[in-house]
Structure formats: structure tokens, C-alpha cells
Amino acid sequence: MSLSLIIVALAAFATPLLLAKLNISTLPTAVAEITVGIILGKSLLHVVQANTTITFLADLGVILLLFLSGMEIDFSLFQNKQPQTPLDKKKAESSTQYSPLKLAIITYAVIILTSAIIAAFFSFSGLYSNFWLATILFATIALGVVIAALKEKELLNSRFGQTILLIAVLGEVVPMLALTAFASIYDGHASQLWLIGILFVVAAILFKRFRAFFDFFQRINKATTQLDIRLAFFFIFLLAFLAERVGAENILGAFIAGIVIKLLEPEESTREKLDAIGYGFLIPIFFIMTGANLDIPSLLQEPTVLILIPLFFLGFLLAKSLAFFVLKRYFQIKNALAGSLLSATTITLVLAALQVAREVQAINSEQAGEFLIAAILTCLLGPLCFNHLFITEPEDTQKIKVNFIGANILTISAAQQLDQWYDIQLYTDRQDNYQTYNSEAAVKLLPDLKAERLIKEQAFDTDILVLGYRNYQLNYQLALAAKKYGVKRVITRFENRDIMSNLGKKMSAAEIEYFNSADVNVSVLRSLIETPSTLQILTANESRIFEVVVRNRLFARKQIKDLSFANQVTISRIFRNGTSIAPHGNTRLELNDHIVFMGKSADVPQIRRTIEKMNE
């Protein structure tokens, strides 16, 4: 055990605490750890020195960093899903005529072209001669930094967020593959480049062999075995070993191992444990030692350094600059600029690329240091500019649309109470009801209630459809038509007294929600007798019972006591995967939890928007 390792461990522990104490949220932790390493290492204090143990742990850290980067990639984003229902097709036709995948591919193609042009400038000017390595470096994007920034702004499920995320995914996958080819060719193994295919074959075999592992794992796992973590490290070591044997870099094997584990769809707890091992132990050592090994005083003795660092920094920015002109065709100008600047952020793959380049002697330590400092500067500028420039896109502020078929005292009353939270529209075919309620809410009179008419009048173009007629047969037929059209949620009134009828089962099978006003009244009366305060809770104007679904990843694994609105609500129940949970202050929320709580009506809209905003 060395003193340097103890100091590095203490620095890894203290760095995030210092960031929290100083309330610095825009600086990526990796950049802070590299900066701490610079202070502790060769550049300033000289209290941390590399030795065999620290070097081994740092090398393991970069392998695990690339493994976790592979796990960041969500390949479902690359599925260009075709509209399955008439409503999906209509939404696609009325959209901005682009898919995030196509736009990301076009944008990243522009980034690669711009990176090549900038690399050519450096090569022809003699400032840095290796054209291919420079192109790879300028084309890299820090996926982890981009995800963190988008998650913080709750944009992961918006069109803008999906587009920027996909650009970042391409900015990690494409340079990684290019780096592997570059290292093989530069190291004189170009003839063996085809052997890299073996790596992907083995990865496919592992995926097929262990596809059902995590279902089985849930039944047999215990704290003393942690089979999911053992499997992950088996994949890492096996594929990293194979990568080296076929002439590739071990980081490519680790990256592919992360992709395989991701495709196996492990539980969120597995990802958390791997993150804990990586970001809690090994990866900080790699980042700190990267800074500690950087000798800035020696760099500054070179006359070209003061020129090359700003030029490399400018190169990272300019490589993503033309992305702005692509993005501004589909998004607001400020957001296009914010997205291009965030995409200019790079650090993770630059560190790996520089390490590989030094191993194959494609770059000297001075040039590596210049690229590294320039990359650090992008991490300072990118997130800061993104947070300052981004403004909400119009599509992100739209309310959930709820259409009611049938205008009567029941639907009108419900519509009036929901109006402040939802976009409400009512439809009726009865002239008398239209005249009675038209002044109370937005009611549209139709000549009939045939499905074709409702489709033509856009009554089915909604997020939630409520069928409120007393005629349950009519409601049932319209509900089936609405589900076929593609309406996600259909709620129908079902006033059927025939105990032999199986319509209820048919509606459940068709995923149609239904209610019976008589049953509701009986349930309320029974509850009122058993618990006298029930009616007050249900009908109070100030406080009521509400339910929200956790869609926002910001709340995943967060304890109830740490919620910013914990003092505004009383959470009575959490329903998770069909199981009821009695919550307490230390209970952690999970994605897709259904939370039943009591709160003031005035506070609920903001709480609901925050928790239910898709940010997965």
C-alpha cells in the first residue's frame, strides 16, 4: 500500500463533496477530478506519483469507464419505428417531417466532414501532422456529459433531447470503431483487421447464451453471490482479452461488453452496483492519475503550446459548429446553438484515444497534454452554455389532451375541474345538451356519433378519451373503434346491470378502462360509513387525493424524505409492479411507480408535471 494511493482515494472522496459545498453543478465530475490530479501531481504539489498498483487500478478504471459507456447506449433509439395505428400515422404526418434518428445521422455526418477539414488544416499547416487521429479526436462527443445535461433539463424524451442524445451516441460509437482501425493500421496489424469480427461474433454468442440470465438470476441471487456483477466482469475480461489477441484495443472489448450487458436488460439495481464499482472506486483513480501525470510546467516550456491549446480547443468547437445549421431547421435558434455547443463537449473517449495513441507512438506526451487540456476546456464551456441558452420547445409545453364524448352533468363537471391541467374538448350529438352546456365548457355539436364522423372531427386525436353516455353499448363500440384508431387510454362509462354480460371482461382484454356510477356511489357510501372523513377528503376543494406515475428519471432511487415537495403532500401508498407498498421517509422511488398522495389542489399541477414528465 502506497501513500500516493491513500492520497488519491482521499481526493476521490473529497472532490464531489467540494463541488457540492461550492454549489458547482455545471462542471462534470471527471473534469474536477482531472483538475485535482493536476494540483496533486507533476504540475504542482508532486504528492501523487504513479506506481505499479495505481497504474493497474487506473488502467482497470479506463476499461470500466468504456464498459459503462457501452451500457449508456440505448439501441431502441435506433429503431425507426413505423406508425402502427391511424393515430400514429397522423401524428407522424403532422410532425416536423423528421425522425430524431435521421436528423442525428445527418448531423453527425456533417460533424465528421468538418472534423476531417479541421484535421487537414492542422496537417497542412504543420501544427499537428497525424490527420486520422486528429479527425477521430475532433469527432468525439462525451456521451456521459450529454446524458447528464439532458437529464437535468428533463429532455431525454423530447424530440430535441432524443436528437442530441443520438448525436452523442454516434459521437462515441463511430470514433471508437475508427480508433480501433487506426490503432491496428498504425501498429502494423492492418492485415489482421478482419479478425476484429471475431470479437463481435463472440459478443453475439454471449448475448444468445445469456439472454434469459437475468430472469433466472432474480430467483437464485443472494447478497453473497452477486451473480450479475460476476457475469459483467467475466464479459469485460473475456472481451478485453480477445480484443488484444485479435489486434484491437482492450477498451473496444470493454465497450462491446457494456453493449452486451445493456442488451441483456438487467435490473436497475445491477446498473447501480456497476456504477458504484466504477464511479465509486476505479474511474476516479483513472481521472485523477490522468491529471497527476500531466506535466504542465514542462508543456509551457514548448513555444508552440500556448498556440496549440487554444487552436485544439477551437478545433473541438468548430468541428461541431456546422451542426448548428442543421439543427436550426428543426429547432429554435437558441436550442440549435445550445445543442451544438453541448455536442462539442468531449473528454471520455479523448482520454482513451490519447492513451491508445501513446501506446502505438502516434502522438507524443506534449501533444497529448495539449489535446487533453483543450478537451477539459470544452467540458467547462459546453454544459455552461447549454444551461444558459436552452429554452423550452413549444411541443414540450403542450398539455395532455382529454376528449369527452357526451356532454352531461357528469362529464361537464369533470371537465371543469380538469381544465387547468389538461387540454379539454367535449363532443355531443344532442342539440339540447349542447345548448345547455356550451357556455360551461368547450362543447362541439356533431350530427351523429359514428366512428367515421368522430375520426373526421378529430375526436379520437387525443391522449385520453372519455366516453360518458349512459348507453353502454354505444360507449363499448366507440371504445373499440378508438383503441383500433390508436388512442392510448380510453375510459368508458359502463352502466350495465346484466350480471351475465361478459362485456367487462372484453373491455379489460382490450385495455379499456371502465367505471359504473352506481358501484362508485356504493363504494363511497361504504367508505363514508367505515371512515367518516373519506367524503371530506374526496370532495374538499383545498386538499384531495391524487395519483401520479413516476416517469422522470431524476426521481429514480430518490428517497421520499429528499423530495423537494415532501412537505406539501402526504404519500399514502405506492403501487409498484402490482404490489402495494406502505411508504416511509427512507422509501426510494422507482420508475413507473404509481404514487397515491394527498395534497392541495393548487400544488398538484406542478408536482404532476415534474414527476410524470418523460425523462427516461
Side-chain angles (χ1 to χ4, degrees), residues 370-435:
E370 292 157 2
F371 269 114
L372 176 58
I373 293 173
I376 291 173
L377 292 175
T378 66
C379 290
L380 296 174
L381 179 70
L384 184 65
C385 290
F386 178 78
N387 289 333
H388 178 71
L389 290 171
F390 178 79
I391 56 176
T392 304
E393 291 284 331
E395 65 180 30
D396 297 330
T397 59
Q398 294 177 354
K399 293 181 179 180
I400 296 174
K401 187 171 181 56
V402 181
N403 286 352
F404 289 81
I405 308 297
N408 49 51
I409 190 64
L410 175 66
T411 56
I412 289 291
S413 300
Q416 288 176 333
Q417 293 188 24
L418 294 171
D419 187 58
Q420 61 177 321
W421 304 334
Y422 299 90
D423 180 9
I424 303 293
Q425 178 66 56
L426 293 95
Y427 298 84
T428 183
D429 64 336
R430 296 184 56 176
Q431 180 72 35
D432 53 341
N433 284 13
Y434 172 77
Q435 292 176 344

Side-chain angles (χ1 to χ4, degrees), residues 432-453:
D432 53 341
N433 284 13
Y434 172 77
Q435 292 176 344
T436 301
Y437 298 115
N438 186 38
S439 61
E440 305 294 328
V443 183
K444 190 171 185 177
L445 180 63
L446 302 178
D448 58 68
L449 291 179
K450 294 179 181 178
E452 296 80 6
R453 173 72 63 183

Side-chain angles (χ1 to χ4, degrees), residues 274-386:
L274 290 168
D275 279 348
I277 297 171
Y279 292 108
F281 174 38
L282 293 169
I283 295 173
I285 295 176
F286 167 67
F287 284 138
I288 291 172
M289 290 310 300
T290 297
N293 291 327
L294 190 61
D295 191 350
I296 294 180
S298 297
L299 279 177
L300 295 179
Q301 293 177 6
E302 295 291 330
T304 58
V305 168
L306 295 178
I307 298 175
L308 283 178
I309 290 177
L311 284 179
F312 284 151
F313 171 64
L314 191 60
F316 281 124
L317 296 181
L318 291 177
K320 316 304 190 305
S321 60
L322 293 185
F324 164 77
F325 296 99
V326 180
L327 295 173
K328 79 181 186 69
R329 297 178 57 192
Y330 304 94
F331 305 110
Q332 298 181 73
I333 290 178
K334 273 194 171 184
N335 290 348
L337 182 58
S340 60
L341 286 171
L342 183 62
S343 299
T345 303
T346 184
I347 190 66
T348 307
L349 201 52
V350 164
L351 291 170
L354 292 175
Q355 180 169 305
V356 170
R358 283 197 296 269
E359 290 173 359
V360 299
Q361 298 181 347
I363 193 172
N364 60 44
S365 49
E366 288 79 15
Q367 293 167 334
E370 292 157 2
F371 269 114
L372 176 58
I373 293 173
I376 291 173
L377 292 175
T378 66
C379 290
L380 296 174
L381 179 70
L384 184 65
C385 290
F386 178 78

